[in-house]
Amino acid sequence: MDAGSGSAVPSDASVARVLGPDGIPEGAGFRAAPREVITCAHVVAKALGLPEDTADPPGGRVWVDFPLAERSTRVPARIAAWTPVGRDGSGDVAVLTLLEDPPAGAPIARLVEDAAGPDRRVRTFGFPPHRDDGAWSVGWLRGATGPAGSSTTPIRPASTGWSAASRAAPSGTSPRAVWSAWSSPRTRGPGCAPPT
């Protein structure tokens, strides 16, 4: 699948795959700046062969690609910021700095904060086991949950108090950007990520 076949909007091509040393996807992320990808800390740890609950930012490089933009280009990255998985499930964010330019067809995702309310239909893209090309899932944001309901961080829906009601997203799709099914092209695109 590429951005021209099976993707609804150009921002779909902002999806990044975080690859293990064997080239197998360990998880997803999204392009958030010209040379920046946001993903989950546990995905980066796994890609480096470390325990998923690694507390300190690991060294080394990981490889990412943008399969909905240009599958053949792998880009090295280093860890720029690290928030490990907390005991309560919070955190789990890694920011990667790309050491080379990403493919020209991989746009920067448009992030929005507090734009999705209850019963908002969303779709998400991830890499479940044996689906290295990825898979789309559809669900709904239902409402505030958990003790973090008052937080306003735009990165994790659980931190902003929203959670996907359809937890039936395939195993292995963490992390994933969430695209709102808004009808206006002006507001379409990744809204928040990565849910756990």
Side-chain angles (χ1 to χ4, degrees), residues 41-163:
H42 81 268
V43 168
V44 173
K46 192 172 177 185
L48 292 170
L50 300 169
E52 291 185 13
D53 61 351
T54 296
D56 295 323
R61 291 184 179 180
V62 295
W63 291 88
V64 300
D65 70 359
F66 297 86
L68 301 180
E70 184 181 312
R71 180 177 311 279
S72 62
T73 303
R74 292 185 179 182
V75 181
R78 67 172 176 76
I79 298 162
W82 185 264
T83 303
V85 179
R87 285 187 215 161
D88 62 356
S90 64
D92 198 21
V93 177
V95 178
L96 303 176
T97 298
L98 302 176
L99 301 176
E100 298 173 7
D101 289 332
I108 295 170
R110 181 171 172 262
L111 301 179
V112 295
E113 184 174 358
D114 296 330
D119 295 321
R120 171 76 65 182
R121 183 173 181 234
V122 295
R123 59 193 183 90
T124 184
F125 190 85
F127 303 96
H130 311 295
R131 299 288 305 265
D132 293 354
D133 290 336
W136 286 100
S137 297
V138 176
W140 285 263
L141 299 179
R142 292 291 191 213
T145 62
S150 62
S151 175
T152 58
T153 178
I155 303 302
R156 293 171 49 90
S159 296
T160 58
W162 301 105
S163 66

Side-chain angles (χ1 to χ4, degrees), residues 16-44:
R17 268 189 310 198
V18 180
L19 305 168
D22 54 4
I24 302 294
E26 297 295 347
F30 60 92
R31 187 171 175 214
R35 283 199 170 189
E36 190 173 271
V37 168
I38 297 177
T39 186
C40 282
H42 81 268
V43 168
V44 173

